[in-house]
Amino acid sequence: MVMFAFQSTATTFSPSFLISTPSDSTPSPFLTFAHLRANRTFFSTRRRLAVSSRLNSSKSSGAGGSVDNGDAPYELHHDFSPQRETRGSPVFVTLPVNTVSPEGKLSRPRAMMFSLKALAAAGVEGVVIEFWWGIVERKEPRLYDWRGYRELVMMASMCGLKVRAVLAFHQYGTGPDDPNRIPLPLWVLDEINKDPELAYSDRFGRRNIEYISLGCDILPVLRGRTPIQAYADVMRDFRETFRPSLGITITRVQIGMGPGGELRYPSFSFQEPNVASFGGLGEFQCYDKYMLASLNACARNIGKREWGDGGPFGAGSLMQNPEHTDFFKNEGGSWNTPYGKFFLEWYSDMLLLHGERICSEAETIFRGTEVLISAKVAAVHWHYATQSHPSELTAGYYNTFDRDGYLPIARLFSKYGFAMCCSCFEMQDAAMQKINPSGSPEGFLKQLLLAARLCDISLEGQNFTTDLDDDAFAQVLKMSNFFSNGIEKRPFAFNFVRMDKRMFESENWDRFARFVRQMSNGKIFRARLKSPCDIRLKTTPGAAEVGLLYQHS
């Protein structure tokens, strides 16, 4: 039985501030829900209403990461919809990573057009396109190249498909030998070479360049700009470049907030073999000088200077049994001591502060564009059945058997009108626990979905693995119903990750098309082809034709 325990009242040690929420103490899900119902600012709607409010702005007071609170006017747009639509859930398909080449050109446009037509004919609502920072701003700062992406958005529109844009500020791939690797922009890598402290570091000094360390979020380390300013500049240029399509073809924009596009630390890599199946603990990413400066300042503020020299001792090795470690073991583990609580609160609050900064920028930039903004949370489920949840702790989610680490994230997203995205909708405890007895993808997901429901934010589901059989699709339907069913139908959509030539093999395609029909409750979102004058669009290809085209292109 999975128990949902909520954070108890305690003194918290924040690196800078506590996210402004009703209370960090939640005695029961029902009381939380009642409180949120009373606070109308937590609800997203369809009818757009501008609500004047005040935002606590953050000003840097040094490398320690502390901030001063000041008032800055802003407007949040909230919807109040007494009745939600009752149609089924739309399905989107994530396009291949290499759809746009590192040089910014659309790869295999003929195969892509046929693929999009086939998806439209199957009833798919739209496609997910990842706009990679390492491609868009590849060579020089503020020199943006959207050519391949503009062509791709136009093709999707011609096929009657909606687009969900993912602004990806992270690296893709495992290393230089990965044929699909997309690094950070070259000029950013140059800055990291000059100052390696811009990259995350673990206790062994191993650097991770998947994403710039959030410890330097508000420091001008990127040729006079802060990382937050660099991300915001990309968002603004995207908005201006695609303004005619926003709210029409491009209906949602997901903002990357960390490695894998997720709001987390790079404590592990999903590219590492068996990290999820066999339970990698992960490593705390707090050893670059910017993170250490913040930790040290926070420790000094409470008179515990000795707590500010680094991460926890006794955290074990990556693939070690957590019960064999001093920090993570269930009984007597130092994660549950005053020191452990101090460190984990600081570590997770730094992540929340990073998310707050990006949410604030994105909400301002996309205000009035009629697109829904979203962000992604990682599905770290492989030690969920333990008391300390070690893999979640190293990723930055302070979630233990008696503390809810996901409700503060859901509150943050609700505050700025964000939707939430998460994967592992196809995974089942019965299958996982044959490999890893302490894993519980269903327990993790139900906790996250409950947090989303309490904060009344819409949800995007994804698959964690790539090979989906009938049982996996049935599990997606089950978990989507768990979230959306009830008195109020909550908005839900599913992103299938990702399209490749195997998808168009006869058996796989039939299974996928059947799943799309089931998700839509039999009402297929059949797209209209908008270009009858284009001879290429006068016939709709079958899956076999598309698969054959992939083999010969």
Side-chain angles (χ1 to χ4, degrees):
M1 179 178 66
V2 177
M3 298 184 63
F4 300 115
F6 290 81
Q7 183 176 341
S8 60
T9 54
T11 304
T12 57
F13 307 106
S14 169
S16 55
F17 76 100
L18 293 177
I19 301 297
S20 178
T21 60
S23 171
D24 282 338
S25 176
T26 310
S28 78
F30 305 103
L31 290 180
T32 301
F33 185 65
H35 186 96
L36 295 178
R37 293 285 295 187
N39 186 347
R40 301 288 289 192
T41 61
F42 275 81
F43 288 83
S44 61
T45 69
R46 248 180 242 101
R47 184 162 57 91
R48 310 290 290 183
L49 296 177
V51 181
S52 295
S53 184
R54 308 291 291 180
L55 172 68
N56 288 330
S57 62
S58 299
K59 297 180 181 180
S60 171
S61 63
S66 58
V67 298
D68 296 322
N69 291 333
D71 286 334
Y74 80 117
E75 285 186 341
L76 282 179
H77 294 275
H78 294 284
D79 304 314
F80 298 95
S81 175
Q83 183 177 2
R84 300 176 190 269
E85 296 182 18
T86 58
R87 74 175 192 175
S89 301
V91 175
F92 288 73
V93 175
T94 303
L95 298 184
V97 174
N98 60 359
T99 296
V100 174
S101 72
E103 293 75 31
K105 296 182 180 179
L106 181 61
S107 303
R108 301 188 295 183
R110 183 166 176 264
M112 180 55 63
M113 177 60 82
F114 271 74
S115 301
L116 296 178
K117 289 171 63 181
L119 293 177
V124 168
E125 180 83 346
V127 291
V128 178
I129 301 174
E130 294 154 321
F131 293 73
W132 294 97
W133 188 28
I135 293 177
V136 171
E137 198 179 1
R138 181 169 180 254
K139 294 183 178 180
E140 296 293 335
R142 296 189 178 90
L143 184 62
Y144 305 105
D145 182 3
W146 304 98
R147 290 172 301 163
Y149 294 111
R150 292 178 67 176
E151 186 177 353
L152 189 56
V153 170
M154 184 180 300
M155 288 170 62
S157 178
M158 291 169 65
C159 294
L161 294 170
K162 302 298 183 183
V163 170
R164 292 191 168 181
V166 177
L167 299 183
F169 296 109
H170 62 283
Q171 169 187 288
Y172 181 87
T174 56
D177 296 332
D178 189 332
N180 293 321
R181 180 174 180 263
I182 302 175
L184 298 180
L186 300 180
W187 64 272
V188 173
L189 294 178
D190 287 343
E191 297 306 308
I192 293 176
N193 287 333
K194 296 175 186 175
D195 181 8
E197 300 293 334
L198 300 181
Y200 284 110
S201 176
D202 64 16
R203 58 192 165 130
F204 301 108
R206 295 176 298 198
R207 297 287 175 184
N208 186 300
I209 57 173
E210 291 180 72
Y211 189 79
I212 299 173
S213 170
L214 61 80
C216 57
D217 267 354
I218 53 176
L219 300 176
V221 295
L222 297 180
R223 299 192 186 181
R225 288 187 298 169
T226 71
I228 296 296
Q229 288 173 336
Y231 305 147
D233 286 344
V234 173
M235 289 186 241
R236 270 187 288 268
D237 205 74
F238 171 87
R239 179 197 62 193
E240 295 308 308
T241 301
F242 293 95
R243 185 179 286 276
S245 300
L246 297 181
I248 301 172
T249 299
I250 300 175
T251 56
R252 181 167 297 193
V253 178
Q254 185 181 119
I255 311 299
M257 295 187 177
E262 300 161 333
L263 180 61
R264 66 172 172 89
Y265 293 100
S267 55
F268 56 87
S269 172
F270 284 124
Q271 281 78 39
E272 293 176 6
N274 303 322
V275 67
S277 299
F278 296 107
L281 298 178
E283 290 286 350
F284 290 109
Q285 303 292 311
C286 59
Y287 290 88
D288 64 78
K289 71 179 182 182
Y290 302 107
M291 291 291 286
L292 284 175
S294 173
L295 176 60
N296 186 264
C298 197
R300 281 186 283 117
N301 284 342
I302 63 168
K304 295 286 186 179
R305 298 187 60 174
E306 67 275 14
W307 288 359
D309 295 332
F313 292 102
S317 59
L318 178 63
M319 303 305 292
Q320 189 172 353
N321 185 328
E323 283 302 300
H324 299 160
T325 71
D326 292 331
F327 189 77
F328 295 120
K329 62 184 179 181
N330 286 335
E331 300 298 331
S334 53
W335 62 274
N336 204 23
T337 63
Y339 162 73
K341 293 177 181 179
F342 158 79
F343 174 82
L344 294 172
E345 285 168 358
W346 166 82
Y347 193 65
S348 60
D349 281 348
M350 286 291 283
L351 189 66
L352 279 173
L353 175 56
H354 177 68
E356 170 94 11
R357 287 165 173 159
I358 295 182
C359 283
S360 175
E361 293 286 351
E363 190 280 326
T364 301
I365 291 167
F366 290 103
R367 186 185 305 161
T369 60
E370 298 303 322
V371 298
L372 184 61
I373 318 173
S374 67
K376 190 176 181 184
V377 176
V380 186
H381 53 77
W382 42 95
H383 283 298
Y384 188 84
T386 66
Q387 291 189 36
S388 64
H389 296 225
S391 303
E392 293 164 81
L393 298 184
T394 57
Y397 305 139
Y398 191 1
N399 188 62
T400 63
F401 83 104
D402 63 349
R403 189 183 195 279
D404 192 335
Y406 298 108
L407 190 57
I409 298 175
R411 286 171 173 167
L412 172 65
F413 290 170
S414 178
K415 174 181 176 181
Y416 290 96
F418 271 53
M420 181 185 290
C421 178
C422 187
S423 65
C424 89
F425 270 73
E426 85 289 4
M427 301 189 73
Q428 302 176 49
D429 282 0
M432 168 57 69
Q433 289 172 359
K434 290 178 182 178
I435 306 171
N436 177 16
S438 65
S440 180
E442 291 184 67
F444 154 78
L445 193 55
K446 286 179 180 179
Q447 183 185 353
L448 189 71
L449 299 189
L450 178 60
R453 290 181 64 164
L454 289 173
C455 295
D456 202 43
I457 57 181
S458 61
L459 194 71
E460 299 175 16
Q462 288 187 359
N463 47 301
F464 189 88
T465 55
T466 55
D467 296 322
L468 302 189
D469 55 19
D470 287 329
D471 287 343
F473 280 127
Q475 181 70 8
V476 172
L477 288 164
K478 171 186 171 183
M479 296 309 296
S480 64
N481 289 333
F482 176 86
F483 173 75
S484 57
N485 281 0
I487 297 176
E488 295 187 13
K489 297 292 183 181
R490 291 169 172 81
F492 178 81
F494 184 75
N495 302 337
F496 178 83
V497 183
R498 67 181 65 236
M499 186 180 83
D500 59 16
K501 64 182 179 181
R502 293 180 304 163
M503 180 181 181
F504 297 101
E505 294 172 0
S506 178
E507 184 176 352
N508 293 335
W509 182 255
D510 290 345
R511 183 184 296 119
F512 174 75
R514 183 166 58 251
F515 166 71
V516 173
R517 291 194 297 272
Q518 291 171 328
M519 287 292 287
S520 63
N521 293 331
K523 300 175 183 178
I524 301 177
F525 304 118
R526 188 175 296 278
R528 295 195 307 271
L529 302 181
K530 296 184 177 180
S531 296
C533 59
D534 191 332
I535 191 171
R536 291 176 297 176
L537 295 179
K538 287 189 175 180
T539 59
T540 301
E545 297 175 66
V546 178
L548 190 64
L549 187 61
Y550 266 96
Q551 292 176 9
H552 293 89
S553 60

